[in-house]
Amino acid sequence: MKFSRDYRRAHRILKAAQELSALSDGAIRDLFSRHRRRLATGSPESSSVNECFALTIEATDRVLQKRLYPVQVMAGLDLLRNGMVEMATGEGKTLTALLPIVLRSFRGLGVHVVTANPYLAERDAQLLSPVLNFAGLTGGSLRDDMDAA
């Protein structure tokens, strides 16, 4: 039952993202800013999930020319609820993580994504940074060889 609910919700989010494609980059950035202000001032996260996910999907399409699939949106919803999701190789974990990263970052608390593979951490940070910048956020990665400061 939960699967079918999440599947329907994922399709609604993807449809909303498709509808955003008619807006200008400036209008998308304005919508991101509006949600950032709302969430930073204590508005409940649940009120912004669908639209923030849709905005992030549209931004990802514009910046990286990559469109998310329903399974990725469903995994993003599950990450919000549970904090951990198992996905097979090739299912798009990097893009999936972007959905809750943007939403949670708007709270102003910072978000950390942990991986045991330093190469993937660096690669993913470089890949996602342009989308994060489009949403008004910044991102980076930490390496073992970095100074603690």
Side-chain angles (χ1 to χ4, degrees), residues 109-122:
L109 303 174
V111 173
H112 297 86
V113 178
V114 179
T115 181
N117 185 321
Y119 165 76
L120 291 178
E122 186 78 23

Side-chain angles (χ1 to χ4, degrees), residues 33-44 106-108:
S33 293
R34 186 180 77 195
H35 283 285
R36 184 180 197 157
R37 283 190 304 275
R38 285 181 60 217
L39 290 167
T41 57
S43 188
F106 284 170
R107 286 261 182 238

Side-chain angles (χ1 to χ4, degrees), residues 9-42:
R9 186 173 184 191
H11 277 280
R12 283 193 306 271
I13 290 169
L14 287 165
K15 184 175 188 227
Q18 186 64 41
E19 291 168 0
L20 292 169
S21 67
L23 299 178
S24 69
D25 286 358
I28 298 291
R29 285 187 176 102
D30 288 345
L31 289 169
F32 271 127
S33 293
R34 186 180 77 195
H35 283 285
R36 184 180 197 157
R37 283 190 304 275
R38 285 181 60 217
L39 290 167
T41 57

Side-chain angles (χ1 to χ4, degrees), residues 58-122:
E58 178 57 24
T60 303
D61 191 25
R62 288 177 188 217
V63 175
L64 302 178
Q65 290 76 50
K66 295 180 185 275
R67 198 62 145 177
L68 278 79
Y69 293 97
V71 68
Q72 293 168 307
V73 178
M74 291 168 58
L77 292 167
D78 217 25
L79 275 170
L80 282 177
R81 281 191 294 266
N82 303 315
M84 188 180 299
V85 173
E86 183 177 0
M87 295 175 75
T89 300
E91 280 192 307
K93 293 177 275 298
T94 301
L95 295 180
T96 297
L98 189 57
L99 298 171
I101 287 170
V102 170
L103 180 67
R104 291 276 162 91
S105 294
F106 284 170
R107 286 261 182 238
L109 303 174
V111 173
H112 297 86
V113 178
V114 179
T115 181
N117 185 321
Y119 165 76
L120 291 178
E122 186 78 23

